[in-house]
Every structure is written in structure tokens, then in C-alpha cells.
């Protein structure tokens, strides 16, 4: 608008127009400042593959993991890597169980996988026998019964509920995000829970073998 035309407007309309122009200029200035401070290319921290990495070249990028050159465990929605001194030393997928994660981190040995599978087998047998209306009951503890479901029932009687619930999370094939987060901050607690359950299972199996020997005719 020309100055001559502006002078012909009522004073109130001139003030409103100037205010709108000031607001627009302020927004424009803010937008320019934001653009000025943006880098030419977004900064993405990536791990440059090295010969001593435990994963093939490109694995990190394929799984959407961005990591700095530092120690730690870095994750994407579906995978994780552990970096030490700039080298990937461990890696895995999040749809693997926490148990497999623990084994890959060498917190447990390969024998732990057997006890994890056995636990799931016992639990599945126990749950399949339960009356749905009584699913909250711990089951019986008949010392003379040694079926899979009976062994799991004995386990429930011998261990705190926290231990069996922790074991449920450890062996789950698709662990929940909260369990994964808890594991990251309390790995020692998870190892202790697994070993406690595994030791109780060994005791029950040993007792079953002894009961079987006693039942055999002399």
C-alpha cells in the first residue's frame, strides 16, 4: 500500500494494519532464524563398520540403529548392539527372548537355553490343565506326582511369585518393552532370578529321579 493511500485511512485502521505487519514480520524473522541455524544435512550418529565388529557391514543401518563412537548398548525398535571402544561386540534382535539376549551377552552359558525351554514346557502343561475358573490357584504339591504340570506346581510352591514372574518375562519369545528396559538397568537381578528358578528345577528333577528309583522293584 502506498503512503498516500495509507494517509487517507482512519487512524484506527492504520494502527491495526501496522500491528498485523509487525506480527507478520516477527514470524518471518523467527522462521529465517530457524532456517539459518539448521545444518545443511541432518546430523545422524552412525557406527562406521570395522573388521573386528561381530556384525556384517551394513547391519546397523539395516536395523535402524544410530550409535555414537562410545561404549554402551544402543537400540532401535527391533534390534540392539553393544559397543566397546568403538567396536560392536554383541548384537541381537528384540524379538528374541531376554534369555537369548543374556546368553549373547555371556551373562549365562548355553546350558541356560535348556532350562528356559524346560520351564516353558512345564508351564504350558500346567496351564493347559487348569480350570479357567480357578486359574489363579497355585496347583497341588503332591510329593508323589512328577508329571510336567506337577513339577511346575512344585516350583510355584517353592519360589516367590516375583521369581516365577521374572522367569516368565525372561523366556518370553516377544518380551515386553518394560521388561527389556528393566533388564537393561538390572541385569544382575535377572541373572539371579533365572539361576534361582533353574536351581529349583534341578532339585525337582533330582527328587523325581530318586522317587523313580525307589519305586522300582528290588
Amino acid at each position: 500500500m502506498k503512503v498516500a493511500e495509507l494517509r487517507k485511512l482512519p487512524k484506527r485502521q492504520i494502527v491495526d494494519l501496522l500491528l498485523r505487519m509487525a506480527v507478520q514480520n516477527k514470524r518471518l524473522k523467527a522462521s529465517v532464524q530457524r532456517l539459518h541455524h539448521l545444518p545443511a544435512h541432518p546430523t545422524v550418529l552412525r557406527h562406521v563398520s570395522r573388521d573386528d565388529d561381530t556384525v556384517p557391514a551394513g547391519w546397523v543401518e539395516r536395523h535402524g540403529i544410530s550409535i555414537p563412537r562410545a561404549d554402551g548398548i544402543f537400540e532401535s525398535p527391533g534390534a540392539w548392539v553393544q559397543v566397546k571402544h568403538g567396536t560392536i561386540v554383541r548384537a541381537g534382535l528384540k524379538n528374541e527372548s531376554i534369555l537369548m539376549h543374556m546368553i549373547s551377552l555371556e551373562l549365562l552359558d548355553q546350558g541356560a537355553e535348556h532350562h528356559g525351554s524346560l520351564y516353558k514346557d512345564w508351564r504350558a502343561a500346567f496351564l493347559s490343565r487348569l480350570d479357567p475358573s480357578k486359574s489363579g490357584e497355585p496347583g497341588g504339591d503332591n510329593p508323589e506326582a512328577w508329571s510336567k504340570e506337577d513339577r511346575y506346581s512344585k516350583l510355584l510352591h517353592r519360589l516367590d511369585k516375583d521369581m516365577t514372574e521374572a522367569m516368565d518375562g525372561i523366556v518370553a519369545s516377544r518380551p515386553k518393552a518394560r521388561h527389556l528396559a528393566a533388564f537393561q538397568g538390572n541385569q544382575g537381578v535377572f541373572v539371579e532370578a533365572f539361576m534361582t528358578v533353574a536351581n529349583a528345577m534341578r532339585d525337582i528333577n533330582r527328587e523325581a529321579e530318586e522317587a523313580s528309583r525307589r519305586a522300582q522293584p528290588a
Side-chain angles (χ1 to χ4, degrees):
M1 181 177 290
K2 295 180 180 180
V3 175
E5 295 174 345
L6 185 61
R7 288 175 178 172
K8 295 178 181 180
L9 296 175
K11 184 178 180 181
R12 183 179 182 83
Q13 190 172 347
I14 293 173
V15 173
D16 290 342
L17 180 60
L18 291 174
L19 286 174
R20 286 199 299 271
M21 291 174 63
V23 170
Q24 290 174 352
N25 286 338
K26 184 177 181 181
R27 290 174 178 170
L28 179 60
K29 182 179 179 181
S31 298
V32 171
Q33 287 177 336
R34 286 196 297 271
L35 290 171
H36 179 72
H37 287 93
L38 285 175
H41 300 285
T43 301
V44 179
L45 295 175
R46 292 192 179 278
H47 176 87
V48 180
S49 298
R50 292 173 51 164
D51 292 339
D52 44 359
D53 285 345
T54 60
V55 298
W59 191 91
V60 169
E61 289 75 13
R62 286 198 304 275
H63 289 88
I65 303 175
S66 295
I67 56 178
R69 224 5 127 157
D71 290 355
I73 296 177
F74 306 96
E75 304 173 319
S76 72
W80 61 273
V81 294
Q82 182 181 18
V83 179
K84 287 186 178 180
H85 309 299
T87 301
I88 296 176
V89 294
R90 300 280 184 272
L93 301 176
K94 286 187 177 179
N95 60 0
E96 294 177 349
S97 66
I98 292 175
L99 174 57
M100 297 308 297
H101 195 162
M102 294 164 77
I103 293 172
S104 68
L105 291 173
E106 297 183 351
L107 299 173
L108 297 170
D109 59 28
Q110 292 293 334
E113 189 173 358
H114 166 73
H115 282 93
S117 297
L118 196 61
Y119 176 85
K120 289 195 293 184
D121 196 24
W122 289 7
R123 185 185 61 186
F126 177 80
L127 294 177
S128 67
R129 186 184 70 174
L130 283 179
D131 180 340
S133 65
K134 302 177 180 179
S135 58
E137 295 184 359
D141 190 27
N142 184 350
E144 302 303 322
W146 300 104
S147 65
K148 293 176 182 179
E149 54 266 36
D150 290 313
R151 297 187 194 205
Y152 185 78
S153 177
K154 289 177 171 62
L155 204 58
L156 292 179
H157 278 84
R158 299 184 189 192
L159 298 175
D160 292 338
K161 186 178 180 181
D162 290 345
M163 286 294 175
T164 53
E165 287 183 348
M167 190 67 167
D168 290 345
I170 290 171
V171 301
S173 58
R174 292 185 178 274
K176 297 179 180 177
R178 62 187 178 86
H179 291 158
L180 286 166
F183 170 71
Q184 294 293 350
N186 301 279
Q187 293 183 0
V189 173
F190 277 71
V191 172
E192 181 181 359
F194 182 89
M195 294 305 300
T196 299
V197 176
N199 288 334
M201 292 175 68
R202 291 190 189 98
D203 290 342
I204 291 170
N205 282 338
R206 185 177 60 253
E207 293 166 13
E209 291 173 0
E210 293 172 353
S212 178
R213 286 195 296 268
R214 288 195 301 270
Q216 293 177 358

